[in-house]
């Protein structure tokens, strides 16, 4: 390990070392400053079950990790310099990486899927850069409801009211190495959006994992509950995770052509468009997330594309040479960024290699465009398509895909097994 990784900011007593789990939720350990050199050298042990546990930390037997093999350990190492956490005195934050006890990558680590696609792009001569937009709600921790009232998207008055929490979020995240560009109120009371500056794809996904964890910490320190749940309120806007793609070569954006999106960009777009239906599970993993996928909600229901059009799935943005890009708009704020971005990149690179051409160009309302292929709008359909997808199996590998699909099936069954208060209110006294 380099000396840089042993170094800690002055005054550090504790280091929070974490990585993303199956759902992109940050998990790890808090380590004393005295123990940090040993962790940098030899890692710290934790169970591989972290990559096969649901969002509630429930586990189930999977082919790779199960009761029969005893849920064995892996080792967690630092993967970036430790940086002071401005919101917690004496604490530093460090993003890590997981290795098996053999010091090889863990075969079911979701991050490995993205590593492979980034390496593939590099062999083709490109660096993939991703910009991430995440929406989330800031709620009262006791009532789990917004403290503000009414839809004031982009409202500067609402922004100033939320500045006591959003200001520290922007500043503190930038201080720990997550470059924040801007924030704004979104399309519902309590809902906000924060934009991260585009960067290399693997770093962008790491940033998303850290962003969601640290936003929750910072919000809690200011008396708010931050949630990235996809659809916390039935009649309000869902929370999305939009990704902005560009390929770079020799310091230039290869998506920028003479008249806008280059031919390379069009083939990449075509690959993304082709694979969107069968990779829906990478973008939305719970029954709740599919409540977002409804017409006229600014969440796409088909795979059409268009220019600067928020009713489509793939939005082409043409501007300066550095800003020309493709925005993919179907992801839910709670999905795993490694799987989402890896599926998108793999599809785009396939489009380049196969010289595909996009179709279903929408000039108006993309929801009403005839001929566009529908996207799954329920979890059952997404599960079925993922199970039948050779693309997904080849990309994730059989074990990762089985874990991802297995969790989705468990979530589907859990929700179906509930009798809701809505059903009781509507049916109990009337039948």
């Amino acid at each position: 390990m380099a000396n840089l990784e042993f170094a800690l900011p002055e005054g550090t007593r504790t280091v929070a070392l974490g990585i993303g789990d199956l759902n992109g939720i940050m998990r790890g350990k808090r380590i004393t400053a005295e123990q940090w050199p040993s962790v940098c050298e030899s890692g710290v042990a934790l169970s591989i079950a972290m990559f096969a546990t649901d969002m509630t930390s429930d586990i189930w037997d999977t082919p790779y990790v199960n009761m029969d093999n005893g849920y064995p350990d892996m080792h967690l190492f630092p993967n970036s310099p430790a940086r002071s956490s401005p919101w917690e005195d004496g604490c530093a934050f460090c993003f890590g990486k997981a290795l098996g006890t053999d010091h090889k990558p863990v075969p079911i680590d979701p991050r490995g899927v993205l590593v492979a696609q980034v390496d593939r792009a590099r062999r083709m001569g490109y660096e993939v850069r991703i910009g991430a937009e995440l929406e989330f709600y800031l709620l009262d921790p006791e009532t789990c409801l917004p403290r503000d009232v009414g839809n004031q998207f982009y409202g500067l008055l609402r922004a100033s009211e939320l500045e006591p929490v959003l200001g520290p979020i922007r500043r503190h995240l930038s201080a720990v190495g997550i470059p924040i560009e801007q924030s704004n109120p979104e399309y519902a009371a309590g809902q906000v959006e924060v934009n991260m500056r585009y960067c290399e794809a693997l770093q962008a996904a790491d940033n998303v994992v850290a962003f969601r964890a640290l936003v929750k910490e910072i919000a809690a320190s200011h008396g708010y509950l931050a949630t990235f749940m996809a659809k916390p309120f039935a009649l309000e806007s869902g929370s999305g995770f939009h990704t902005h793609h560009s390929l770079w070569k020799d310091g230039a954006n290869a998506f920028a052509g003479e008249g806008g999106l280059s031919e390379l960009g069009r083939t990449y777009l075509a690959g993304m468009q082709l694979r969107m239906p069968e990779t829906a599970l990478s973008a939305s993993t719970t029954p709740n997330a599919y409540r977002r996928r409804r017409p006229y909600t600014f969440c796409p229901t088909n795979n059409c594309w268009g220019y600067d059009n928020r009713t489509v799935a793939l939005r082409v943005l043409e501007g300066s040479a550095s800003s020309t890009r493709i925005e993919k708009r179907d992801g839910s704020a709670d999905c795993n960024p490694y799987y989402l971005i890896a599926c998108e990149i793999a599809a785009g690179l396939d489009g380049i290699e196969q010289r595909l051409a996009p179709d279903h160009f929408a000039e108006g309302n993309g929801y009403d465009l005839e001929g566009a292929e529908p996207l799954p709008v329920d979890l059952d359909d997404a599960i079925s398509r993922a199970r039948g997808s050779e693309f997904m199996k080849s990309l994730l590998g059989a074990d990762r895909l089985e874990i991802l699909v297995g969790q989705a099936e468990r979530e589907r069954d859990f929700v179906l097994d509930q009798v809701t208060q809505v059903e009781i209110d509507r049916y109990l006294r009337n039948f």
Side-chain angles (χ1 to χ4, degrees), residues 149-161:
V149 177
N151 178 355
Q152 291 294 330
F153 80 112
Y154 296 134
L156 288 179
L157 176 59
R158 176 63 51 82
S160 69
E161 293 168 351

Side-chain angles (χ1 to χ4, degrees), residues 139-192:
L139 306 174
D140 182 279
E142 297 298 323
T143 65
C144 294
L145 294 172
R147 287 175 173 158
D148 47 350
V149 177
N151 178 355
Q152 291 294 330
F153 80 112
Y154 296 134
L156 288 179
L157 176 59
R158 176 63 51 82
S160 69
E161 293 168 351
L162 292 171
E163 186 64 10
V165 59
L166 281 178
I169 285 173
R170 293 193 309 273
R171 294 192 300 275
H172 294 342
L173 290 177
S174 294
V176 297
I178 302 173
I180 302 301
E181 289 192 326
Q182 58 207 22
S183 65
N184 59 270
E186 257 300 333
Y187 206 61
Q191 191 183 42
V192 297

Side-chain angles (χ1 to χ4, degrees), residues 6-21:
F6 288 94
L8 290 175
E10 186 176 353
T12 299
R13 298 186 297 273
T14 301
V15 184
L17 176 64
I19 55 173
D21 71 357

Side-chain angles (χ1 to χ4, degrees), residues 19-23 25 27-29 44-54 57-67 69-76 97-110 339 399-400 403:
I19 55 173
D21 71 357
L22 169 61
N23 293 288
I25 296 170
R27 301 186 190 276
K29 292 193 174 184
V44 61
L46 67 170
S47 176
I48 294 174
M50 196 183 77
F51 295 134
T53 185
D54 69 19
S57 296
D58 194 13
I59 57 173
W60 67 99
D61 275 6
T62 67
Y64 187 83
V65 56
N66 48 60
M67 290 293 178
N69 65 19
Y71 288 89
D73 271 346
M74 59 185 180
H75 288 162
L76 183 57
K97 64 179 178 182
L99 296 176
T101 53
D102 57 2
H103 285 205
K104 295 180 180 179
V106 179
I108 59 170
D109 182 352
Y339 285 153
D399 285 344
R400 286 192 189 95
I403 291 169

